[in-house]
Amino acid sequence: LAVLYFATNLAVAQSAPPEMVCEVHVNKVKPGMTAQYEEGRAKHMAWHKSQNDSWSWNTWEITTGEDTGSYLVTSCGHTWKDFDSRDKFNVADGANANSTMGASLAGETMAYYTLRSELSATPKPGQQPIYLSVIFFQLKPEGFTDFTNGVKQVNEAVTKTKTPRLTSYWYSLANGGTGPEMVLVQERNSMADMAGTTPKTLDEIMKEAYGDETALTSLRKAYYRSRSELLHYRSDLSYTAPASK
């Protein structure tokens, strides 16, 4: 956990919207049908373009972890109310997705996640990252408050010690999985970025800031399982909506 956390370099976000919901799909591909899936996914994104869809869709290839070989497709930046106006579009979307990718899919899951902007580190917007390092934390029901409070104290320690920061986001599962769950998404522009920005461990940063690591004890006791995966951005399988006027 110490290695994972010091690499995130968390700070309180100032520019993220107060409410942001992500729709997240995980596509599991049938063995031997990756090429067919990618061809179908590209055609489906072309369909979104032909429909002048106002939502952007980013596709990420999952390259490590238990879902290696699958694809994660997201559309973020929405409010809950936005989903109420998508019913008619979703019918046509589903029909096209089935016709272009259905034969190559072994399964699909969908979930909704909300951005925890008060926990996230969001420096000035940059270019689309090449990789995302994602860490899922399965929390104990009674540990949610201790976990989030611990993250806030880590944020403060990183700021207090002037530890270099990389862009990272915290999300909480809203619907579609086993909860309570918190997810840390860290942007990486190269594999070299996986080394982080400081040789210090999280324990060392906390001790430098506060003189002890008490906050980490409560945080570490607040969850019972974590897992990680690395996502590789696929621009050729993604769709960017036209800029709103």
Side-chain angles (χ1 to χ4, degrees):
L1 177 62
V3 175
L4 297 175
Y5 262 98
F6 85 74
T8 68
N9 303 304
L10 302 175
V12 177
Q14 298 296 326
S15 59
E19 180 183 33
M20 193 185 90
V21 183
C22 289
E23 181 176 319
V24 180
H25 298 257
V26 176
N27 290 175
K28 185 175 182 180
V29 181
K30 291 179 180 178
M33 298 197 72
T34 297
Q36 292 90 330
Y37 168 81
E38 291 192 355
E39 180 181 359
R41 171 57 66 185
K43 289 181 179 179
H44 184 57
M45 291 307 186
W47 178 85
H48 278 272
K49 183 177 181 179
S50 72
Q51 301 301 305
N52 199 32
D53 189 3
S54 61
W55 290 19
S56 293
W57 295 89
N58 288 329
T59 299
W60 304 82
E61 184 178 359
I62 303 175
T63 62
T64 65
E66 58 192 48
D67 288 325
T68 296
S70 297
Y71 294 78
L72 186 142
V73 184
T74 67
S75 185
C76 293
H78 310 295
T79 66
W80 286 114
K81 186 177 180 180
D82 293 338
F83 294 90
D84 291 331
S85 61
R86 296 282 290 187
D87 289 348
K88 184 176 179 180
F89 185 92
N90 286 340
V91 171
D93 187 6
N96 185 267
N98 186 60
S99 66
T100 55
M101 297 176 290
S104 62
L105 284 177
E108 178 181 17
T109 61
M110 189 182 100
Y112 294 107
Y113 288 86
T114 56
L115 174 69
R116 297 296 301 271
S117 59
E118 80 280 13
L119 304 178
S120 302
T122 53
K124 294 180 181 179
Q127 62 183 10
Q128 174 68 50
I130 298 174
Y131 300 100
L132 293 179
S133 176
V134 184
I135 309 171
F136 300 84
F137 294 92
Q138 299 293 327
L139 307 186
K140 299 174 183 177
E142 70 277 13
F144 188 83
T145 299
D146 285 341
F147 188 89
T148 54
N149 286 342
V151 172
K152 291 177 182 178
Q153 289 183 287
V154 170
N155 293 346
E156 295 169 359
V158 169
T159 299
K160 188 174 182 178
T161 57
K162 298 181 180 180
T163 302
R165 301 167 182 170
L166 293 172
T167 301
S168 60
Y169 303 88
W170 278 100
Y171 293 88
S172 61
L173 175 67
N175 194 277
T178 302
E181 178 183 82
M182 294 289 291
V183 182
L184 177 60
V185 179
Q186 308 165 84
E187 292 188 358
R188 298 289 183 261
N189 292 315
S190 68
M191 289 300 292
D193 281 348
M194 294 295 288
T197 59
T198 174
K200 297 178 184 178
T201 66
L202 180 59
D203 294 81
E204 291 170 339
I205 292 172
M206 296 297 284
K207 190 170 184 179
E208 180 182 343
Y210 301 117
D212 60 45
E213 309 87 23
T214 304
L216 295 183
T217 301
S218 296
L219 187 152
R220 287 165 173 158
K221 289 182 178 180
Y223 71 96
Y224 63 89
R225 179 177 183 261
S226 68
R227 66 180 179 89
S228 63
E229 60 189 28
L230 186 66
L231 311 182
H232 180 214
Y233 182 59
R234 295 294 302 271
S235 60
D236 57 325
L237 305 179
S238 301
Y239 164 72
T240 301
S244 57
K245 298 180 180 180

